[in-house]
Amino acid sequence: MANVDFAAEAPLMREPESPRDSLDHLSNSFVTEELPPTSPSTFIWALSCAAGISGILFGYDTGVISSTLVSIQPTDLAHPLSTLDKSLITSSTSLFALIASPLAGILADRRGRRSVILVADALFIIGALWQAFTGSVTGMILGRSVIGLAVGAASLVVPLYISELSPSEFRGMLVTLSILFVTGGQVIAYVLGYVFAQKVHGWRWMVGLGAMPAVFQFGLLLTLPETPRWLVKAGQEIEARDVLQKVYASEMSMTAERIMKDIKREISEEEATSKLLNSNVPGDGLWPWLTQYQHRVNELFYVGGNRRALTLGCMLQGLQQLCGFVCSPSLPS
């Protein structure tokens, strides 16, 4: 026959593939999926503890005032402290913390989370030294006010900084760790209050020692990165990718790339939502800052996720105030 059917001459059964060939085939057919990390990396632990020092400062400066007020002698601040003096010294911290919190949020969006924490550290140092060397009630109130600015900024930005750098699997644990540091700071304040209570001008040491953790944290933060989310929003994607590689380690490169894409998608969605809300707000006229404020309010109340977070935050803060815990620093005086 002219036409030969070579297929008929082929063997009816192929030779079995070796196990090595089967594994090679599977590896080429499927993409290997990376397993999530089982524990935070050393880098994340170091970063969270460094940022959490702000919690120690928060707890220390709100707790140390109770020992300070009972240790101040009548001649230390020119005259004996009246009830009004004690009230102003104590409440000035909370008042200026309330003022600083929204301003810190705006600065964190514009200048970065790490930059705001560095400014808070500088304020902690200035406020602590101001109190330690003051010779008047007015100076004490001003020093406590500076501390309030630092407390307001740090208490807002530090949890944000940790949450944006932490892997989602450990985010809640690491943010809770920073809150635990607040309680630790209060314990340290009470211990040092006991140690210096009977010493001459011991109260100056109590408030002055609050500068030491701030100096330590300031030095550590100079070696730590900005958050990937803020870097992407600022157009610094190369730097953001480098940070993600450190967070998830080099062997988790695929996870880092996936997180990078998720961040870019979320930022795009937020910008689209913001533009949609802003288009419904009239008035680009003489008050652009007022228009911008209206845009922010719209995002806060009309975006479902923001509204739920606002409700929960207000409920938690309200319960904290109603339980009377915030009155404890001034009770011993």
Side-chain angles (χ1 to χ4, degrees):
M1 294 178 64
N3 296 327
V4 179
D5 189 358
F6 293 100
E9 299 178 3
L12 295 178
M13 296 184 64
R14 301 170 106 187
E15 295 182 8
E17 295 182 353
S18 65
R20 184 183 186 87
D21 294 337
S22 300
L23 290 175
D24 291 341
H25 176 71
L26 288 173
S27 63
N28 294 329
S29 301
F30 299 96
V31 177
T32 304
E33 294 185 359
E34 295 179 346
L35 296 175
T38 57
S39 63
S41 64
T42 304
F43 174 76
I44 287 298
W45 277 117
L47 182 147
S48 299
C49 291
I53 295 175
S54 291
I56 294 178
L57 288 165
F58 183 0
Y60 183 86
D61 284 306
T62 54
V64 77
I65 192 61
S66 59
S67 302
T68 301
L69 291 178
V70 298
S71 301
I72 295 176
Q73 299 300 314
T75 58
D76 289 342
L77 297 179
H79 62 81
L81 294 179
S82 64
T83 302
L84 178 61
D85 293 335
K86 294 179 181 180
S87 299
L88 291 175
I89 291 172
T90 304
S91 61
S92 57
T93 301
S94 300
L95 174 61
F96 280 84
L98 177 64
I99 295 172
S101 293
L103 298 177
I106 296 173
L107 288 175
D109 287 339
R110 294 186 178 181
R111 300 296 181 184
R113 286 71 163 117
R114 191 185 69 147
S115 299
V116 174
I117 300 175
L118 289 172
V119 171
D121 283 333
L123 292 174
F124 274 121
I125 296 169
I126 294 171
L129 297 179
W130 195 328
Q131 294 174 85
F133 291 102
T134 189
S136 65
V137 174
T138 302
M140 193 68 180
I141 294 173
L142 291 176
R144 295 295 298 173
S145 300
V146 174
I147 290 292
L149 293 175
V151 167
S155 61
L156 176 77
V157 178
V158 167
L160 180 64
Y161 180 76
I162 295 175
S163 65
E164 290 187 353
L165 276 164
S166 304
S168 58
E169 296 85 356
F170 315 111
R171 190 168 297 152
M173 177 184 67
L174 295 173
V175 172
T176 303
L177 178 65
S178 69
I179 305 302
L180 183 63
F181 282 0
V182 176
T183 307
Q186 291 174 334
V187 173
I188 294 172
Y190 296 143
V191 171
L192 290 180
Y194 173 78
V195 171
F196 289 102
Q198 303 302 323
K199 298 184 180 297
V200 178
H201 300 304
W203 67 270
R204 296 187 185 275
W205 285 97
M206 295 178 201
V207 294
L209 286 174
M212 291 184 62
V215 172
F216 183 62
Q217 185 185 43
F218 191 94
L220 287 177
L221 282 176
L222 292 177
T223 65
L224 295 178
E226 184 55 79
T227 66
R229 182 180 179 82
W230 186 87
L231 290 171
V232 171
K233 205 167 184 178
Q236 303 177 31
E237 295 187 8
I238 296 177
E239 291 82 354
R241 187 172 282 104
D242 291 340
V243 174
L244 286 172
Q245 291 288 350
K246 291 181 180 179
V247 171
Y248 290 94
S250 58
E251 64 271 12
M252 302 288 289
S253 57
M254 290 178 58
T255 301
E257 287 297 326
R258 176 176 58 81
I259 298 297
M260 184 74 175
K261 292 179 181 178
D262 291 342
I263 292 174
K264 293 169 70 174
R265 185 185 70 252
E266 290 174 3
I267 291 176
S268 299
E269 292 175 354
E270 289 177 3
E271 291 176 348
T273 303
S274 178
K275 289 180 181 178
L276 179 62
L277 291 173
N278 294 346
S279 63
N280 298 326
V281 179
D284 292 324
L286 300 176
W287 305 99
W289 63 269
L290 181 59
T291 302
Q292 185 179 8
Y293 177 76
Q294 290 177 318
H295 296 172
R296 296 275 186 176
V297 171
N298 276 354
E299 292 180 7
L300 185 61
F301 287 98
Y302 293 108
V303 176
N306 294 344
R307 187 171 58 249
R308 288 190 295 272
L310 175 65
T311 303
L312 289 173
C314 290
M315 289 176 61
L316 289 173
Q317 289 298 320
L319 291 173
Q320 179 183 354
Q321 300 296 320
L322 292 172
C323 76
F325 174 76
V326 292
C327 297
S328 60
S330 59
L331 285 178
S333 61

